[in-house]
Tab-separated table of all heavy atoms in Angstrom:
chain	number	residue	atom	x	y	z
A	234	HIS	N	12.243	-25.505	20.365
A	234	HIS	CA	13.114	-24.339	20.192
A	234	HIS	C	13.058	-23.397	21.388
A	234	HIS	O	13.885	-22.491	21.502
A	234	HIS	CB	12.764	-23.593	18.895
A	234	HIS	CG	11.639	-22.619	19.015
A	234	HIS	ND1	10.318	-22.974	18.881
A	234	HIS	CD2	11.646	-21.277	19.274
A	234	HIS	CE1	9.557	-21.908	19.037
A	234	HIS	NE2	10.323	-20.875	19.276
A	235	ARG	N	12.095	-23.624	22.277
A	235	ARG	CA	12.015	-22.795	23.494
A	235	ARG	C	12.749	-23.432	24.676
A	235	ARG	O	12.783	-22.863	25.767
A	235	ARG	CB	10.547	-22.542	23.864
A	235	ARG	CG	9.833	-21.598	22.917
A	235	ARG	CD	8.491	-21.154	23.478
A	235	ARG	NE	7.497	-22.210	23.461
A	235	ARG	CZ	6.651	-22.438	22.461
A	235	ARG	NH1	6.706	-21.671	21.370
A	235	ARG	NH2	5.760	-23.406	22.527
A	236	ILE	N	13.322	-24.609	24.494
A	236	ILE	CA	14.029	-25.303	25.577
A	236	ILE	C	15.532	-25.109	25.429
A	236	ILE	O	16.102	-25.363	24.372
A	236	ILE	CB	13.685	-26.808	25.569
A	236	ILE	CG1	12.206	-27.022	25.875
A	236	ILE	CG2	14.547	-27.557	26.591
A	236	ILE	CD1	11.771	-28.481	25.801
A	237	HIS	N	16.158	-24.655	26.491
A	237	HIS	CA	17.603	-24.438	26.523
A	237	HIS	C	18.153	-25.063	27.804
A	237	HIS	O	17.410	-25.332	28.751
A	237	HIS	CB	17.930	-22.942	26.480
A	237	HIS	CG	17.259	-22.219	25.359
A	237	HIS	ND1	17.838	-22.057	24.116
A	237	HIS	CD2	16.033	-21.620	25.291
A	237	HIS	CE1	17.016	-21.394	23.332
A	237	HIS	NE2	15.912	-21.112	24.011
A	238	SER	N	19.446	-25.284	27.840
A	238	SER	CA	20.043	-25.867	29.040
A	238	SER	C	21.364	-25.185	29.355
A	238	SER	O	22.021	-24.614	28.478
A	238	SER	CB	20.264	-27.376	28.862
A	238	SER	OG	21.311	-27.621	27.942
A	239	HIS	N	21.727	-25.264	30.624
A	239	HIS	CA	23.030	-24.741	31.051
A	239	HIS	C	23.501	-25.581	32.230
A	239	HIS	O	22.728	-25.883	33.143
A	239	HIS	CB	22.922	-23.272	31.460
A	239	HIS	CG	24.246	-22.665	31.809
A	239	HIS	ND1	25.219	-22.393	30.864
A	239	HIS	CD2	24.759	-22.291	33.007
A	239	HIS	CE1	26.267	-21.865	31.465
A	239	HIS	NE2	26.021	-21.795	32.757
A	240	ARG	N	24.760	-25.941	32.196
A	240	ARG	CA	25.321	-26.738	33.288
A	240	ARG	C	25.479	-25.863	34.532
A	240	ARG	O	26.074	-24.788	34.485
A	240	ARG	CB	26.674	-27.312	32.873
A	240	ARG	CG	27.180	-28.429	33.784
A	240	ARG	CD	28.475	-29.031	33.225
A	240	ARG	NE	28.335	-29.448	31.843
A	240	ARG	CZ	27.759	-30.588	31.472
A	240	ARG	NH1	27.294	-31.417	32.381
A	240	ARG	NH2	27.657	-30.899	30.191
A	241	CYS	N	24.914	-26.335	35.631
A	241	CYS	CA	24.993	-25.577	36.886
A	241	CYS	C	24.927	-26.537	38.060
A	241	CYS	O	24.082	-27.437	38.096
A	241	CYS	CB	23.840	-24.566	36.969
A	241	CYS	SG	23.822	-23.583	38.495
A	242	ASP	N	25.810	-26.342	39.019
A	242	ASP	CA	25.823	-27.103	40.263
A	242	ASP	C	25.334	-26.174	41.365
A	242	ASP	O	26.038	-25.229	41.741
A	242	ASP	CB	27.244	-27.597	40.555
A	242	ASP	CG	27.338	-28.389	41.846
A	242	ASP	OD1	26.327	-28.504	42.570
A	242	ASP	OD2	28.443	-28.889	42.149
A	243	VAL	N	24.127	-26.400	41.871
A	243	VAL	CA	23.549	-25.465	42.836
A	243	VAL	C	24.208	-25.548	44.205
A	243	VAL	O	23.880	-24.753	45.099
A	243	VAL	CB	22.022	-25.645	42.968
A	243	VAL	CG1	21.322	-25.375	41.655
A	243	VAL	CG2	21.665	-27.013	43.533
A	244	THR	N	25.136	-26.480	44.407
A	244	THR	CA	25.898	-26.482	45.655
A	244	THR	C	27.054	-25.484	45.596
A	244	THR	O	27.738	-25.273	46.596
A	244	THR	CB	26.461	-27.879	45.990
A	244	THR	OG1	27.450	-28.246	45.020
A	244	THR	CG2	25.364	-28.926	46.008
A	245	SER	N	27.273	-24.876	44.431
A	245	SER	CA	28.349	-23.905	44.241
A	245	SER	C	27.763	-22.523	43.986
A	245	SER	O	27.072	-22.313	42.983
A	245	SER	CB	29.230	-24.310	43.051
A	245	SER	OG	30.021	-23.225	42.596
A	246	GLU	N	28.037	-21.581	44.874
A	246	GLU	CA	27.527	-20.225	44.683
A	246	GLU	C	28.038	-19.614	43.392
A	246	GLU	O	27.287	-18.956	42.663
A	246	GLU	CB	27.919	-19.333	45.870
A	246	GLU	CG	27.399	-17.906	45.744
A	246	GLU	CD	27.628	-17.069	46.982
A	246	GLU	OE1	28.248	-17.583	47.946
A	246	GLU	OE2	27.191	-15.899	47.005
A	247	GLN	N	29.318	-19.843	43.066
A	247	GLN	CA	29.874	-19.266	41.845
A	247	GLN	C	29.193	-19.839	40.609
A	247	GLN	O	28.936	-19.118	39.635
A	247	GLN	CB	31.377	-19.510	41.770
A	247	GLN	CG	32.078	-18.696	40.684
A	247	GLN	CD	31.890	-17.199	40.891
A	247	GLN	OE1	32.224	-16.662	41.953
A	247	GLN	NE2	31.359	-16.518	39.886
A	248	SER	N	28.886	-21.129	40.634
A	248	SER	CA	28.199	-21.749	39.511
A	248	SER	C	26.817	-21.122	39.315
A	248	SER	O	26.392	-20.871	38.174
A	248	SER	CB	28.070	-23.259	39.738
A	248	SER	OG	27.463	-23.902	38.647
A	249	ILE	N	26.129	-20.845	40.401
A	249	ILE	CA	24.809	-20.205	40.328
A	249	ILE	C	24.928	-18.788	39.783
A	249	ILE	O	24.194	-18.390	38.868
A	249	ILE	CB	24.145	-20.196	41.721
A	249	ILE	CG1	23.786	-21.608	42.149
A	249	ILE	CG2	22.910	-19.291	41.729
A	249	ILE	CD1	23.340	-21.729	43.598
A	250	VAL	N	25.850	-18.014	40.330
A	250	VAL	CA	26.031	-16.625	39.890
A	250	VAL	C	26.370	-16.584	38.404
A	250	VAL	O	25.814	-15.769	37.645
A	250	VAL	CB	27.125	-15.935	40.729
A	250	VAL	CG1	27.494	-14.573	40.132
A	250	VAL	CG2	26.653	-15.769	42.175
A	251	ASP	N	27.268	-17.454	37.979
A	251	ASP	CA	27.667	-17.481	36.568
A	251	ASP	C	26.490	-17.856	35.665
A	251	ASP	O	26.314	-17.276	34.585
A	251	ASP	CB	28.812	-18.477	36.360
A	251	ASP	CG	30.121	-18.015	36.985
A	251	ASP	OD1	30.227	-16.818	37.330
A	251	ASP	OD2	31.026	-18.858	37.132
A	252	ALA	N	25.681	-18.824	36.091
A	252	ALA	CA	24.547	-19.263	35.275
A	252	ALA	C	23.527	-18.147	35.100
A	252	ALA	O	23.047	-17.887	33.991
A	252	ALA	CB	23.889	-20.490	35.913
A	253	PHE	N	23.204	-17.457	36.178
A	253	PHE	CA	22.215	-16.381	36.088
A	253	PHE	C	22.751	-15.193	35.299
A	253	PHE	O	21.994	-14.532	34.568
A	253	PHE	CB	21.757	-15.960	37.480
A	253	PHE	CG	20.661	-16.825	38.049
A	253	PHE	CD1	20.952	-18.052	38.638
A	253	PHE	CD2	19.347	-16.430	37.981
A	253	PHE	CE1	19.954	-18.855	39.145
A	253	PHE	CE2	18.327	-17.218	38.485
A	253	PHE	CZ	18.629	-18.440	39.074
Side-chain angles (χ1 to χ4, degrees):
H234 84 274
R235 289 192 288 269
I236 295 176
H237 308 269
S238 71
H239 184 71
R240 195 175 307 280
C241 179
D242 180 356
V243 298
T244 67
S245 163
E246 181 173 3
Q247 192 59 56
S248 183
I249 292 170
V250 170
D251 290 345
F253 276 81

